[in-house]
Amino acid sequence: MLSARQLFLQHQAQTTDFPLLLEVERAEGVFMYGPNGERYLDLISGIGVSNVGHRHPKVISAIQGQLDKYLHLMVYGEIVQTPPARLAHALAQTLPAGLDNVYFVSSGSEAIEGAMKLAKRFTGRTELIAFDKAYHGSTQGSLSLNGAESFKRSFRPLLPDVNHLEHNHLPDLEKITRRTAAVILETVQGEAGVRVPSKAYMQALRARCTKVGALLVLDEIQCGFGRTGTFWAFEQFGIVPDILTCAKGMGGGMPIGAFISRQEIMHSFKNDPMLGHITTFGGHPVSCAASLATLQIIQEEGLLEQVTAKAERFKQRLAHPAIKSIRNLGLMMAAEMESFEVLKKVIDTAILKGVLTDWFLFCDNSMRLAPPLTITFEEIDQACDILLEAIDEHCRF
């Protein structure tokens, strides 16, 4: 009998020549456990997914409860199902008036694809604007929005009429015109290494889109669902998008995404053509049950209230000459080091010592710190002790 590792290497498609190859038998809270008792403190939450920790009891209960009722019934939007209906209502309650129409999908990339189509259909325009070092997904459309040429040159030609602006650069906003269907922006840039725009910039962007009739699409696939200390990151900038995308942290570990807009905009999919956007598994009842439980956990357990203090604990504990700076909004953090070569050694050593972290696609000299929001101050201290040990092994001052 082949081992799981052998099966993984022989039959499961690989995307690098050096996968982590950690074998995980179970996970609970902020920890993952290997088959031989290895324990890893998870500082990346499955890249922003496990915001309420691994296997939160209320999420598991919600999943089990739905399993006893039904699984997939019909393609999106044809049959009334309680889990997506209740989740859509709960999401609308977290948002400003008007953002009350939710289209459920299965992933962040799919949410972006839907938002792109919706913007074009509603405005009748063709130009899409994104930003340098943006990351919005890996499908052909979402890849067209990505801002790193190295990540997409091998897949060209991609979508035409997609243009990129310099992030957080006010003069570039003049390039948004009456040709522009939508401006698509991560509220906090993730794979660029946690780049937070200024409030003045975000408000100027909102004003420019309103002036020329372009839709503002905010991508909160990584930074939504409490990651930054407010339920939605855009709450901290005093603006409201026309379309909002989310995924990752909304499912409690289950696959789900959504794009959210006003009914006036979303109704564009109802005609010319009818069924303007279709998904088979969007709004899957089990994923929606898990997502509703996740939303309720964040609210009822007060997870937002300690995000800022927990982020400050990381920043205080990781004060080290080898760490040049720590950028963050809440528990979406990037600790910048001298180079990828140094960072990679630190990460590999930390994993051997029981702490899992990594780097960013477009900022490979910065360490990703995005633990479950449920992490305790004691667990933060444990993680930082190990990270500092790893740093000291490879950085001499």
Side-chain angles (χ1 to χ4, degrees):
M1 171 76 76
L2 294 177
S3 69
R5 180 183 293 247
Q6 290 171 317
L7 292 172
F8 172 87
L9 291 171
Q10 288 187 24
H11 300 294
Q12 193 168 335
Q14 306 292 305
T15 55
T16 74
D17 290 324
F18 44 89
L20 281 177
L21 288 178
L22 293 183
E23 290 190 56
V24 177
E25 189 172 78
R26 63 186 180 90
E28 202 85 36
V30 300
F31 292 102
M32 301 185 297
Y33 299 89
N36 300 309
E38 308 94 332
R39 189 176 81 159
Y40 306 96
L41 200 161
D42 182 4
L43 285 186
I44 55 178
S45 303
I47 315 298
V49 169
S50 303
N51 282 12
V52 297
H54 296 285
R55 298 187 70 251
H56 192 289
K58 293 178 182 176
V59 173
I60 299 302
S61 177
I63 291 170
Q64 291 172 337
Q66 185 56 40
L67 290 178
D68 289 336
K69 296 174 182 175
Y70 54 83
L71 302 180
H72 176 76
L73 300 178
M74 181 58 170
V75 297
Y76 179 85
E78 295 299 314
I79 291 179
V80 176
Q81 300 177 69
T82 297
R86 289 185 61 204
L87 176 58
H89 174 73
L91 286 169
Q93 302 309 298
T94 70
L95 289 162
L99 281 179
D100 60 358
N101 222 234
V102 184
Y103 194 116
F104 291 115
V105 291
S106 302
S107 71
S109 290
E110 193 184 352
I112 291 293
E113 296 283 352
M116 294 165 71
K117 287 177 63 178
L118 182 60
K120 287 183 173 182
R121 174 66 186 85
F122 180 74
T123 64
R125 303 174 183 181
T126 59
E127 183 189 47
L128 297 170
I129 287 180
F131 292 83
D132 60 323
K133 294 188 178 178
Y135 181 80
H136 296 286
S138 291
T139 50
Q140 292 272 306
S142 60
L143 186 63
S144 302
L145 300 175
N146 286 357
E149 182 58 26
S150 61
F151 204 65
K152 59 186 181 180
R153 68 167 60 99
S154 298
F155 305 103
R156 290 191 177 279
L158 295 169
L159 286 186
D161 214 3
V162 176
N163 295 304
H164 290 78
L165 307 183
E166 183 179 343
H167 185 252
N168 203 31
H169 183 60
L170 282 166
D172 265 11
L173 298 184
E174 293 300 314
K175 298 176 183 178
I176 303 167
T177 70
R178 296 190 184 278
R179 287 193 59 252
T180 308
V183 178
I184 303 172
L185 172 72
E186 297 161 271
T187 311
V188 178
Q189 283 198 318
E191 296 310 312
V194 186
R195 307 293 173 172
V196 184
S198 71
K199 187 172 182 178
Y201 177 80
M202 293 294 272
Q203 293 185 346
L205 172 61
R206 171 69 275 182
R208 181 65 181 175
C209 288
T210 300
K211 181 177 180 179
V212 302
L215 299 186
L216 176 59
V217 180
L218 291 183
D219 176 343
E220 298 223 357
I221 290 164
Q222 266 198 74
C223 63
F225 263 69
R227 172 58 51 192
T228 66
T230 49
F231 198 89
W232 304 107
F234 73 78
E235 297 174 47
Q236 301 183 42
F237 296 92
I239 62 170
V240 178
D242 297 297
I243 302 174
L244 178 69
T245 66
C246 51
K248 288 189 178 290
M250 74 182 290
M254 293 293 288
I256 187 171
F259 54 103
I260 306 169
S261 191
R262 304 189 300 273
Q263 288 197 22
E264 171 198 10
I265 296 175
M266 198 71 80
H267 282 185
S268 301
F269 280 153
K270 294 172 70 173
N271 54 71
D272 193 24
M274 182 175 62
L275 300 173
H277 194 65
I278 304 171
T279 175
T280 297
F281 292 113
H284 192 283
V286 178
S287 291
C288 285
S291 181
L292 180 59
T294 299
L295 186 156
Q296 292 169 340
I297 290 162
I298 292 171
Q299 293 176 331
E300 295 170 4
E301 297 188 5
L303 295 185
L304 300 178
E305 297 166 11
Q306 290 190 326
V307 166
T308 299
K310 289 175 179 178
E312 286 303 312
R313 183 70 148 254
F314 270 108
K315 293 166 81 170
Q316 292 164 7
R317 290 298 318 279
L318 292 178
H320 190 286
I323 295 179
K324 310 301 181 186
S325 66
I326 297 180
R327 297 180 297 275
N328 79 295
L329 193 61
L331 283 171
M332 187 173 181
M333 311 183 75
E336 184 171 329
M337 301 190 71
E338 176 184 346
S339 65
F340 172 73
E341 289 70 28
V342 171
L343 175 61
K344 183 66 164 62
K345 291 176 182 177
V346 170
I347 288 172
D348 290 346
T349 299
I351 290 172
L352 291 174
K353 293 175 178 289
V355 167
L356 175 62
T357 182
D358 74 342
W359 62 92
F360 298 89
L361 282 176
F362 310 142
C363 185
D364 65 7
N365 69 331
S366 293
M367 181 189 303
R368 188 191 306 267
L369 300 170
L373 307 183
T374 54
I375 193 170
T376 66
F377 289 96
E378 292 75 16
E379 289 162 347
I380 292 172
D381 289 341
Q382 290 175 33
C384 290
D385 285 344
I386 290 173
L387 291 176
L388 291 170
E389 285 178 20
I391 290 170
D392 283 338
E393 286 188 22
H394 300 286
C395 303
R396 300 293 179 223
F397 289 89

